[in-house]
Amino acid sequence: FCAMVRLLFILFYATYVLAFDWSKLNLVENHVHYVFSNNPELTSQCKSDEACPYRNVLSNDTKCWGFEKNCEAKNRFGGESPTVDCDNEASAQRYWNQADFGYLRNKMDELEDGIICDSPTDSFLHCTKHASMCRARHLYLDMRRARVQNRESIKLDNGGFGGFCDLNVEKRNQETEIKRSLSTWGEAVSDYTQLNFNPWSDTNKYCDVIVDKPVVFVQLDFGGNMYHHFCDFFNLYLTQMANNSWFGTDVQVIRWDMSYRYGEMFHDAWDAFTSHNHISLREYSDKRVCFNDATFAFLPRMILGLFYNTPVELNCRGSSLFRAFAEHFLHRMGITRPALPIKPANIKITLMNRGANTRYKVYRRVLNLDELVNAIRNIPGLDIQSALLEYSQDKMSFKEQLSVTHNSDIFIGMHGAGLTHFLFLPPWAVAFELYNCGDVRCYRDLPRLRGVRYMTWEEPSKIKAFDKYEHEHYGSHEKFWNFEFDVTEFVRLVKQAKSMVLEHDRFSHLRRDEL
């Protein structure tokens, strides 16, 4: 009897201690309070588990990201005034709702009101306006009924997709009126039906596959372009926020399509969100699948969404939400800055070199890059490097690129997806888009949202364009030309960027040298 008691105790203790793998959490230290304050059960488990690495960090302070109900401004991430600069209070409030945690607060209100199907004890489906994000419990997919449409999208009609709950057909139809790939879940959710059986009452009878771990369904943008793929990653982070600030990596990401594979150049980035490879619904072909917990992620090109075409209030800079994303992502990627010496080193300038791709011709190249680099080498207090950011195995890896970016104080590059690196600059940095090629907003707004200062070329008359009209389809557009830049004007702008960096206390020793 005693031996049996000891065995039961050991089994109980092992189950209790091993119930949570803390390595799957891996939080930025200054984010710990905000995550745990939204998860009291997790907090309780951490306090009672000696293996929890956050035990000594937890406190009774009331912390909140800013999207939670009753979150006082003084307690939210970034403080009462997370924006660096806004013209007035009304402008700051609009900006908060457009591009900060106020945006997510509004989405959470929509989710609370968006009850499409509900049951007090079993299935539910709740969605935001236009079904830009949805949560589901006890979700049923009968992949035997799947019909493949254009671009491998699917239809799951005739009872192939639904839950054992009371369906509000009018609400479902209202929120799925807009059916736009990458913008809404309208096409998928319009197929959601009220089942006349409960799959979870007898899973042996109704389920060929049971997925117990949390699932996140995604529609992915173009993976060969850093800007468009990070539309995916940022909105996946936003989805984790909406899921009660839950950032565990033991989740399964599933592409809502029937593709065999997804081509991407930034596969390492998934390490920030999941410890599993993402898959498509094809993995469940001809199977009846029962998902215990599922989320339909915020989408990369939502109507008035975040990151892609975000309407940004003029003369505002800094978003605590974008700052949290950058810190979280860099931490999960293992990107750090070296410890500060007593006297920090010179200002580090990185010039992004678009180089030449072996498969197709690269435009927007800086034809006199070497001349520009040599011209600023004599400016005191600068360390200069030219980084060839190409995404191939024989070049710099993505994580190596992130390290270069995060350890840059001035980052200079031509208009292009590589300027998405602006998101990962340190807060005192200057993002210098050498020339925007007529696309003014895209890479002006990203650093503004991140909270770093932005500048671009000011004198079009001091640029020479080459290879005009060479491209057979888009040769009339500046994005398909190459350029030479006036050296004297470039030096002037670099000195201006240097002065902007020197305003930060980190470089006070260089300010003294300038006097």
Side-chain angles (χ1 to χ4, degrees), residues 31-64:
H31 292 191
V32 170
H33 294 291
Y34 302 92
V35 172
F36 276 83
S37 66
N38 279 307
N39 291 275
E41 291 183 7
L42 194 65
T43 301
S44 177
Q45 188 171 356
C46 180
K47 287 181 176 178
S48 59
D49 185 354
E50 292 185 1
C52 178
Y54 305 108
R55 292 180 75 196
N56 297 327
V57 183
L58 297 178
S59 70
N60 294 321
D61 294 341
T62 304
K63 299 288 187 180
C64 47

PDB file of all heavy atoms in Angstrom, residues 31-64:
ATOM      1  N   HIS A  31       8.899  42.052 -20.579  1.00  0.00           N
ATOM      2  CA  HIS A  31       7.544  41.698 -20.997  1.00  0.00           C
ATOM      3  C   HIS A  31       6.886  40.733 -20.011  1.00  0.00           C
ATOM      4  O   HIS A  31       5.679  40.495 -20.118  1.00  0.00           O
ATOM      5  CB  HIS A  31       7.570  41.032 -22.377  1.00  0.00           C
ATOM      6  CG  HIS A  31       7.970  41.946 -23.496  1.00  0.00           C
ATOM      7  ND1 HIS A  31       7.842  41.581 -24.821  1.00  0.00           N
ATOM      8  CD2 HIS A  31       8.492  43.197 -23.501  1.00  0.00           C
ATOM      9  CE1 HIS A  31       8.283  42.568 -25.588  1.00  0.00           C
ATOM     10  NE2 HIS A  31       8.694  43.558 -24.810  1.00  0.00           N
ATOM     11  N   VAL A  32       7.654  40.183 -19.101  1.00  0.00           N
ATOM     12  CA  VAL A  32       7.159  39.121 -18.219  1.00  0.00           C
ATOM     13  C   VAL A  32       5.925  39.566 -17.442  1.00  0.00           C
ATOM     14  O   VAL A  32       4.903  38.862 -17.402  1.00  0.00           O
ATOM     15  CB  VAL A  32       8.261  38.659 -17.247  1.00  0.00           C
ATOM     16  CG1 VAL A  32       7.688  37.729 -16.180  1.00  0.00           C
ATOM     17  CG2 VAL A  32       9.376  37.957 -18.014  1.00  0.00           C
ATOM     18  N   HIS A  33       5.980  40.747 -16.819  1.00  0.00           N
ATOM     19  CA  HIS A  33       4.854  41.209 -15.995  1.00  0.00           C
ATOM     20  C   HIS A  33       3.569  41.285 -16.809  1.00  0.00           C
ATOM     21  O   HIS A  33       2.488  40.951 -16.311  1.00  0.00           O
ATOM     22  CB  HIS A  33       5.160  42.585 -15.401  1.00  0.00           C
ATOM     23  CG  HIS A  33       6.287  42.574 -14.414  1.00  0.00           C
ATOM     24  ND1 HIS A  33       6.181  41.973 -13.178  1.00  0.00           N
ATOM     25  CD2 HIS A  33       7.529  43.090 -14.480  1.00  0.00           C
ATOM     26  CE1 HIS A  33       7.318  42.119 -12.527  1.00  0.00           C
ATOM     27  NE2 HIS A  33       8.153  42.793 -13.289  1.00  0.00           N
ATOM     28  N   TYR A  34       3.688  41.735 -18.051  1.00  0.00           N
ATOM     29  CA  TYR A  34       2.492  41.961 -18.878  1.00  0.00           C
ATOM     30  C   TYR A  34       1.862  40.649 -19.318  1.00  0.00           C
ATOM     31  O   TYR A  34       0.637  40.532 -19.376  1.00  0.00           O
ATOM     32  CB  TYR A  34       2.877  42.814 -20.092  1.00  0.00           C
ATOM     33  CG  TYR A  34       3.485  44.131 -19.699  1.00  0.00           C
ATOM     34  CD1 TYR A  34       4.870  44.271 -19.562  1.00  0.00           C
ATOM     35  CD2 TYR A  34       2.685  45.240 -19.414  1.00  0.00           C
ATOM     36  CE1 TYR A  34       5.434  45.478 -19.171  1.00  0.00           C
ATOM     37  CE2 TYR A  34       3.244  46.445 -19.021  1.00  0.00           C
ATOM     38  CZ  TYR A  34       4.621  46.557 -18.902  1.00  0.00           C
ATOM     39  OH  TYR A  34       5.170  47.743 -18.504  1.00  0.00           O
ATOM     40  N   VAL A  35       2.685  39.663 -19.618  1.00  0.00           N
ATOM     41  CA  VAL A  35       2.161  38.353 -20.015  1.00  0.00           C
ATOM     42  C   VAL A  35       1.499  37.657 -18.829  1.00  0.00           C
ATOM     43  O   VAL A  35       0.378  37.156 -18.925  1.00  0.00           O
ATOM     44  CB  VAL A  35       3.281  37.467 -20.597  1.00  0.00           C
ATOM     45  CG1 VAL A  35       2.785  36.051 -20.835  1.00  0.00           C
ATOM     46  CG2 VAL A  35       3.807  38.069 -21.904  1.00  0.00           C
ATOM     47  N   PHE A  36       2.191  37.647 -17.691  1.00  0.00           N
ATOM     48  CA  PHE A  36       1.668  36.912 -16.538  1.00  0.00           C
ATOM     49  C   PHE A  36       0.454  37.598 -15.920  1.00  0.00           C
ATOM     50  O   PHE A  36      -0.417  36.929 -15.366  1.00  0.00           O
ATOM     51  CB  PHE A  36       2.770  36.719 -15.494  1.00  0.00           C
ATOM     52  CG  PHE A  36       3.653  35.537 -15.766  1.00  0.00           C
ATOM     53  CD1 PHE A  36       4.719  35.633 -16.648  1.00  0.00           C
ATOM     54  CD2 PHE A  36       3.405  34.316 -15.163  1.00  0.00           C
ATOM     55  CE1 PHE A  36       5.532  34.547 -16.915  1.00  0.00           C
ATOM     56  CE2 PHE A  36       4.209  33.214 -15.424  1.00  0.00           C
ATOM     57  CZ  PHE A  36       5.281  33.330 -16.302  1.00  0.00           C
ATOM     58  N   SER A  37       0.372  38.917 -15.994  1.00  0.00           N
ATOM     59  CA  SER A  37      -0.784  39.602 -15.411  1.00  0.00           C
ATOM     60  C   SER A  37      -2.066  39.230 -16.124  1.00  0.00           C
ATOM     61  O   SER A  37      -3.157  39.324 -15.554  1.00  0.00           O
ATOM     62  CB  SER A  37      -0.594  41.120 -15.458  1.00  0.00           C
ATOM     63  OG  SER A  37      -0.587  41.585 -16.798  1.00  0.00           O
ATOM     64  N   ASN A  38      -1.971  38.772 -17.374  1.00  0.00           N
ATOM     65  CA  ASN A  38      -3.149  38.348 -18.125  1.00  0.00           C
ATOM     66  C   ASN A  38      -3.421  36.852 -17.988  1.00  0.00           C
ATOM     67  O   ASN A  38      -4.370  36.346 -18.571  1.00  0.00           O
ATOM     68  CB  ASN A  38      -2.969  38.684 -19.603  1.00  0.00           C
ATOM     69  CG  ASN A  38      -3.274  40.131 -19.900  1.00  0.00           C
ATOM     70  OD1 ASN A  38      -4.335  40.628 -19.562  1.00  0.00           O
ATOM     71  ND2 ASN A  38      -2.343  40.826 -20.525  1.00  0.00           N
ATOM     72  N   ASN A  39      -2.556  36.163 -17.251  1.00  0.00           N
ATOM     73  CA  ASN A  39      -2.691  34.713 -17.102  1.00  0.00           C
ATOM     74  C   ASN A  39      -2.518  34.312 -15.637  1.00  0.00           C
ATOM     75  O   ASN A  39      -1.461  33.810 -15.248  1.00  0.00           O
ATOM     76  CB  ASN A  39      -1.644  34.004 -17.966  1.00  0.00           C
ATOM     77  CG  ASN A  39      -1.911  34.143 -19.451  1.00  0.00           C
ATOM     78  OD1 ASN A  39      -2.669  33.382 -20.031  1.00  0.00           O
ATOM     79  ND2 ASN A  39      -1.288  35.139 -20.059  1.00  0.00           N
ATOM     80  N   PRO A  40      -3.537  34.522 -14.814  1.00  0.00           N
ATOM     81  CA  PRO A  40      -3.418  34.205 -13.380  1.00  0.00           C
ATOM     82  C   PRO A  40      -3.113  32.737 -13.103  1.00  0.00           C
ATOM     83  O   PRO A  40      -2.376  32.428 -12.163  1.00  0.00           O
ATOM     84  CB  PRO A  40      -4.784  34.617 -12.803  1.00  0.00           C
ATOM     85  CG  PRO A  40      -5.699  34.748 -13.970  1.00  0.00           C
ATOM     86  CD  PRO A  40      -4.849  35.129 -15.131  1.00  0.00           C
ATOM     87  N   GLU A  41      -3.641  31.831 -13.935  1.00  0.00           N
ATOM     88  CA  GLU A  41      -3.350  30.405 -13.725  1.00  0.00           C
ATOM     89  C   GLU A  41      -1.875  30.128 -13.977  1.00  0.00           C
ATOM     90  O   GLU A  41      -1.240  29.351 -13.251  1.00  0.00           O
ATOM     91  CB  GLU A  41      -4.226  29.553 -14.640  1.00  0.00           C
ATOM     92  CG  GLU A  41      -5.701  29.576 -14.265  1.00  0.00           C
ATOM     93  CD  GLU A  41      -6.530  28.663 -15.148  1.00  0.00           C
ATOM     94  OE1 GLU A  41      -5.934  27.924 -15.965  1.00  0.00           O
ATOM     95  OE2 GLU A  41      -7.769  28.695 -15.023  1.00  0.00           O
ATOM     96  N   LEU A  42      -1.324  30.752 -15.008  1.00  0.00           N
ATOM     97  CA  LEU A  42       0.087  30.597 -15.309  1.00  0.00           C
ATOM     98  C   LEU A  42       0.939  31.183 -14.186  1.00  0.00           C
ATOM     99  O   LEU A  42       1.969  30.620 -13.801  1.00  0.00           O
ATOM    100  CB  LEU A  42       0.421  31.279 -16.631  1.00  0.00           C
ATOM    101  CG  LEU A  42       1.772  30.939 -17.271  1.00  0.00           C
ATOM    102  CD1 LEU A  42       1.820  29.471 -17.682  1.00  0.00           C
ATOM    103  CD2 LEU A  42       2.015  31.839 -18.474  1.00  0.00           C
ATOM    104  N   THR A  43       0.500  32.310 -13.654  1.00  0.00           N
ATOM    105  CA  THR A  43       1.209  32.944 -12.540  1.00  0.00           C
ATOM    106  C   THR A  43       1.247  32.028 -11.334  1.00  0.00           C
ATOM    107  O   THR A  43       2.298  31.846 -10.704  1.00  0.00           O
ATOM    108  CB  THR A  43       0.521  34.273 -12.160  1.00  0.00           C
ATOM    109  OG1 THR A  43       0.523  35.140 -13.296  1.00  0.00           O
ATOM    110  CG2 THR A  43       1.245  34.956 -11.014  1.00  0.00           C
ATOM    111  N   SER A  44       0.103  31.439 -11.019  1.00  0.00           N
ATOM    112  CA  SER A  44       0.024  30.532  -9.884  1.00  0.00           C
ATOM    113  C   SER A  44       0.925  29.329 -10.082  1.00  0.00           C
ATOM    114  O   SER A  44       1.626  28.881  -9.152  1.00  0.00           O
ATOM    115  CB  SER A  44      -1.434  30.089  -9.678  1.00  0.00           C
ATOM    116  OG  SER A  44      -1.538  29.154  -8.640  1.00  0.00           O
ATOM    117  N   GLN A  45       0.939  28.788 -11.295  1.00  0.00           N
ATOM    118  CA  GLN A  45       1.770  27.619 -11.586  1.00  0.00           C
ATOM    119  C   GLN A  45       3.247  27.972 -11.478  1.00  0.00           C
ATOM    120  O   GLN A  45       4.048  27.190 -10.960  1.00  0.00           O
ATOM    121  CB  GLN A  45       1.453  27.093 -12.985  1.00  0.00           C
ATOM    122  CG  GLN A  45       2.128  25.761 -13.303  1.00  0.00           C
ATOM    123  CD  GLN A  45       1.631  25.160 -14.605  1.00  0.00           C
ATOM    124  OE1 GLN A  45       0.731  25.688 -15.242  1.00  0.00           O
ATOM    125  NE2 GLN A  45       2.219  24.054 -14.997  1.00  0.00           N
ATOM    126  N   CYS A  46       3.609  29.156 -11.954  1.00  0.00           N
ATOM    127  CA  CYS A  46       5.011  29.577 -11.905  1.00  0.00           C
ATOM    128  C   CYS A  46       5.476  29.729 -10.458  1.00  0.00           C
ATOM    129  O   CYS A  46       6.571  29.286 -10.090  1.00  0.00           O
ATOM    130  CB  CYS A  46       5.196  30.888 -12.658  1.00  0.00           C
ATOM    131  SG  CYS A  46       6.886  31.511 -12.669  1.00  0.00           S
ATOM    132  N   LYS A  47       4.644  30.341  -9.631  1.00  0.00           N
ATOM    133  CA  LYS A  47       5.019  30.579  -8.233  1.00  0.00           C
ATOM    134  C   LYS A  47       5.207  29.276  -7.463  1.00  0.00           C
ATOM    135  O   LYS A  47       5.989  29.217  -6.511  1.00  0.00           O
ATOM    136  CB  LYS A  47       3.960  31.443  -7.553  1.00  0.00           C
ATOM    137  CG  LYS A  47       3.983  32.903  -8.003  1.00  0.00           C
ATOM    138  CD  LYS A  47       2.918  33.725  -7.284  1.00  0.00           C
ATOM    139  CE  LYS A  47       3.001  35.191  -7.667  1.00  0.00           C
ATOM    140  NZ  LYS A  47       1.951  36.014  -7.010  1.00  0.00           N
ATOM    141  N   SER A  48       4.503  28.225  -7.887  1.00  0.00           N
ATOM    142  CA  SER A  48       4.593  26.948  -7.168  1.00  0.00           C
ATOM    143  C   SER A  48       5.565  25.972  -7.810  1.00  0.00           C
ATOM    144  O   SER A  48       5.752  24.866  -7.305  1.00  0.00           O
ATOM    145  CB  SER A  48       3.207  26.305  -7.081  1.00  0.00           C
ATOM    146  OG  SER A  48       2.685  26.074  -8.367  1.00  0.00           O
ATOM    147  N   ASP A  49       6.182  26.377  -8.928  1.00  0.00           N
ATOM    148  CA  ASP A  49       7.082  25.492  -9.659  1.00  0.00           C
ATOM    149  C   ASP A  49       8.500  26.042  -9.567  1.00  0.00           C
ATOM    150  O   ASP A  49       8.815  27.084 -10.140  1.00  0.00           O
ATOM    151  CB  ASP A  49       6.634  25.400 -11.120  1.00  0.00           C
ATOM    152  CG  ASP A  49       7.453  24.393 -11.931  1.00  0.00           C
ATOM    153  OD1 ASP A  49       8.438  23.855 -11.385  1.00  0.00           O
ATOM    154  OD2 ASP A  49       7.094  24.162 -13.100  1.00  0.00           O
ATOM    155  N   GLU A  50       9.371  25.330  -8.877  1.00  0.00           N
ATOM    156  CA  GLU A  50      10.747  25.797  -8.706  1.00  0.00           C
ATOM    157  C   GLU A  50      11.501  25.872 -10.032  1.00  0.00           C
ATOM    158  O   GLU A  50      12.523  26.567 -10.139  1.00  0.00           O
ATOM    159  CB  GLU A  50      11.494  24.881  -7.736  1.00  0.00           C
ATOM    160  CG  GLU A  50      10.982  24.964  -6.305  1.00  0.00           C
ATOM    161  CD  GLU A  50      11.814  24.128  -5.355  1.00  0.00           C
ATOM    162  OE1 GLU A  50      12.802  23.511  -5.815  1.00  0.00           O
ATOM    163  OE2 GLU A  50      11.477  24.092  -4.154  1.00  0.00           O
ATOM    164  N   ALA A  51      11.012  25.167 -11.044  1.00  0.00           N
ATOM    165  CA  ALA A  51      11.671  25.193 -12.343  1.00  0.00           C
ATOM    166  C   ALA A  51      11.308  26.424 -13.168  1.00  0.00           C
ATOM    167  O   ALA A  51      11.931  26.679 -14.198  1.00  0.00           O
ATOM    168  CB  ALA A  51      11.310  23.933 -13.136  1.00  0.00           C
ATOM    169  N   CYS A  52      10.323  27.199 -12.718  1.00  0.00           N
ATOM    170  CA  CYS A  52       9.888  28.381 -13.471  1.00  0.00           C
ATOM    171  C   CYS A  52      10.965  29.465 -13.397  1.00  0.00           C
ATOM    172  O   CYS A  52      11.290  29.939 -12.299  1.00  0.00           O
ATOM    173  CB  CYS A  52       8.564  28.917 -12.940  1.00  0.00           C
ATOM    174  SG  CYS A  52       8.014  30.414 -13.802  1.00  0.00           S
ATOM    175  N   PRO A  53      11.512  29.887 -14.519  1.00  0.00           N
ATOM    176  CA  PRO A  53      12.601  30.871 -14.499  1.00  0.00           C
ATOM    177  C   PRO A  53      12.135  32.286 -14.189  1.00  0.00           C
ATOM    178  O   PRO A  53      12.964  33.190 -14.038  1.00  0.00           O
ATOM    179  CB  PRO A  53      13.163  30.797 -15.922  1.00  0.00           C
ATOM    180  CG  PRO A  53      12.009  30.362 -16.762  1.00  0.00           C
ATOM    181  CD  PRO A  53      11.195  29.446 -15.892  1.00  0.00           C
ATOM    182  N   TYR A  54      10.810  32.477 -14.085  1.00  0.00           N
ATOM    183  CA  TYR A  54      10.281  33.829 -13.895  1.00  0.00           C
ATOM    184  C   TYR A  54       9.818  34.089 -12.462  1.00  0.00           C
ATOM    185  O   TYR A  54       9.268  35.147 -12.168  1.00  0.00           O
ATOM    186  CB  TYR A  54       9.114  34.075 -14.864  1.00  0.00           C
ATOM    187  CG  TYR A  54       9.483  33.818 -16.306  1.00  0.00           C
ATOM    188  CD1 TYR A  54       8.993  32.698 -16.981  1.00  0.00           C
ATOM    189  CD2 TYR A  54      10.348  34.665 -16.984  1.00  0.00           C
ATOM    190  CE1 TYR A  54       9.344  32.443 -18.300  1.00  0.00           C
ATOM    191  CE2 TYR A  54      10.706  34.416 -18.304  1.00  0.00           C
ATOM    192  CZ  TYR A  54      10.202  33.307 -18.956  1.00  0.00           C
ATOM    193  OH  TYR A  54      10.564  33.059 -20.258  1.00  0.00           O
ATOM    194  N   ARG A  55      10.056  33.140 -11.565  1.00  0.00           N
ATOM    195  CA  ARG A  55       9.560  33.266 -10.192  1.00  0.00           C
ATOM    196  C   ARG A  55      10.057  34.530  -9.508  1.00  0.00           C
ATOM    197  O   ARG A  55       9.321  35.220  -8.812  1.00  0.00           O
ATOM    198  CB  ARG A  55       9.967  32.052  -9.354  1.00  0.00           C
ATOM    199  CG  ARG A  55       9.275  30.765  -9.771  1.00  0.00           C
ATOM    200  CD  ARG A  55       9.730  29.612  -8.902  1.00  0.00           C
ATOM    201  NE  ARG A  55       9.146  29.653  -7.571  1.00  0.00           N
ATOM    202  CZ  ARG A  55       9.590  28.965  -6.537  1.00  0.00           C
ATOM    203  NH1 ARG A  55      10.649  28.179  -6.682  1.00  0.00           N
ATOM    204  NH2 ARG A  55       9.001  29.026  -5.370  1.00  0.00           N
ATOM    205  N   ASN A  56      11.335  34.835  -9.717  1.00  0.00           N
ATOM    206  CA  ASN A  56      11.927  35.984  -9.034  1.00  0.00           C
ATOM    207  C   ASN A  56      11.636  37.309  -9.725  1.00  0.00           C
ATOM    208  O   ASN A  56      11.962  38.370  -9.192  1.00  0.00           O
ATOM    209  CB  ASN A  56      13.454  35.795  -8.933  1.00  0.00           C
ATOM    210  CG  ASN A  56      13.820  34.578  -8.100  1.00  0.00           C
ATOM    211  OD1 ASN A  56      13.116  34.226  -7.154  1.00  0.00           O
ATOM    212  ND2 ASN A  56      14.913  33.920  -8.459  1.00  0.00           N
ATOM    213  N   VAL A  57      11.024  37.231 -10.894  1.00  0.00           N
ATOM    214  CA  VAL A  57      10.713  38.451 -11.637  1.00  0.00           C
ATOM    215  C   VAL A  57       9.290  38.913 -11.356  1.00  0.00           C
ATOM    216  O   VAL A  57       8.985  40.102 -11.419  1.00  0.00           O
ATOM    217  CB  VAL A  57      10.901  38.222 -13.158  1.00  0.00           C
ATOM    218  CG1 VAL A  57      10.648  39.501 -13.949  1.00  0.00           C
ATOM    219  CG2 VAL A  57      12.296  37.688 -13.446  1.00  0.00           C
ATOM    220  N   LEU A  58       8.413  37.951 -11.029  1.00  0.00           N
ATOM    221  CA  LEU A  58       7.008  38.276 -10.817  1.00  0.00           C
ATOM    222  C   LEU A  58       6.825  39.201  -9.622  1.00  0.00           C
ATOM    223  O   LEU A  58       7.569  39.151  -8.645  1.00  0.00           O
ATOM    224  CB  LEU A  58       6.195  36.996 -10.605  1.00  0.00           C
ATOM    225  CG  LEU A  58       6.152  36.014 -11.782  1.00  0.00           C
ATOM    226  CD1 LEU A  58       5.351  34.786 -11.387  1.00  0.00           C
ATOM    227  CD2 LEU A  58       5.543  36.679 -12.999  1.00  0.00           C
ATOM    228  N   SER A  59       5.851  40.049  -9.729  1.00  0.00           N
ATOM    229  CA  SER A  59       5.520  40.951  -8.620  1.00  0.00           C
ATOM    230  C   SER A  59       4.012  41.131  -8.591  1.00  0.00           C
ATOM    231  O   SER A  59       3.286  40.627  -9.444  1.00  0.00           O
ATOM    232  CB  SER A  59       6.219  42.303  -8.803  1.00  0.00           C
ATOM    233  OG  SER A  59       5.643  43.007  -9.888  1.00  0.00           O
ATOM    234  N   ASN A  60       3.549  41.873  -7.620  1.00  0.00           N
ATOM    235  CA  ASN A  60       2.115  42.136  -7.500  1.00  0.00           C
ATOM    236  C   ASN A  60       1.710  43.420  -8.214  1.00  0.00           C
ATOM    237  O   ASN A  60       0.573  43.882  -8.076  1.00  0.00           O
ATOM    238  CB  ASN A  60       1.715  42.217  -6.020  1.00  0.00           C
ATOM    239  CG  ASN A  60       1.891  40.881  -5.312  1.00  0.00           C
ATOM    240  OD1 ASN A  60       1.611  39.829  -5.892  1.00  0.00           O
ATOM    241  ND2 ASN A  60       2.368  40.926  -4.078  1.00  0.00           N
ATOM    242  N   ASP A  61       2.649  44.000  -8.962  1.00  0.00           N
ATOM    243  CA  ASP A  61       2.330  45.220  -9.707  1.00  0.00           C
ATOM    244  C   ASP A  61       1.244  44.942 -10.733  1.00  0.00           C
ATOM    245  O   ASP A  61       1.199  43.876 -11.351  1.00  0.00           O
ATOM    246  CB  ASP A  61       3.570  45.752 -10.428  1.00  0.00           C
ATOM    247  CG  ASP A  61       4.642  46.219  -9.453  1.00  0.00           C
ATOM    248  OD1 ASP A  61       4.290  46.468  -8.290  1.00  0.00           O
ATOM    249  OD2 ASP A  61       5.816  46.314  -9.865  1.00  0.00           O
ATOM    250  N   THR A  62       0.357  45.919 -10.903  1.00  0.00           N
ATOM    251  CA  THR A  62      -0.695  45.800 -11.902  1.00  0.00           C
ATOM    252  C   THR A  62      -0.165  46.292 -13.236  1.00  0.00           C
ATOM    253  O   THR A  62       0.032  47.484 -13.433  1.00  0.00           O
ATOM    254  CB  THR A  62      -1.936  46.616 -11.506  1.00  0.00           C
ATOM    255  OG1 THR A  62      -2.374  46.195 -10.217  1.00  0.00           O
ATOM    256  CG2 THR A  62      -3.054  46.414 -12.508  1.00  0.00           C
ATOM    257  N   LYS A  63       0.110  45.355 -14.120  1.00  0.00           N
ATOM    258  CA  LYS A  63       0.634  45.703 -15.433  1.00  0.00           C
ATOM    259  C   LYS A  63      -0.356  45.284 -16.507  1.00  0.00           C
ATOM    260  O   LYS A  63      -1.075  44.292 -16.362  1.00  0.00           O
ATOM    261  CB  LYS A  63       1.976  45.000 -15.687  1.00  0.00           C
ATOM    262  CG  LYS A  63       3.081  45.375 -14.710  1.00  0.00           C
ATOM    263  CD  LYS A  63       3.591  46.777 -14.956  1.00  0.00           C
ATOM    264  CE  LYS A  63       4.806  47.073 -14.090  1.00  0.00           C
ATOM    265  NZ  LYS A  63       5.313  48.449 -14.321  1.00  0.00           N
ATOM    266  N   CYS A  64      -0.392  46.011 -17.616  1.00  0.00           N
ATOM    267  CA  CYS A  64      -1.254  45.643 -18.737  1.00  0.00           C
ATOM    268  C   CYS A  64      -0.654  46.224 -20.013  1.00  0.00           C
ATOM    269  O   CYS A  64      -0.034  47.293 -19.991  1.00  0.00           O
ATOM    270  CB  CYS A  64      -2.684  46.138 -18.535  1.00  0.00           C
ATOM    271  SG  CYS A  64      -2.828  47.858 -18.002  1.00  0.00           S
TER     272      CYS A  64
END
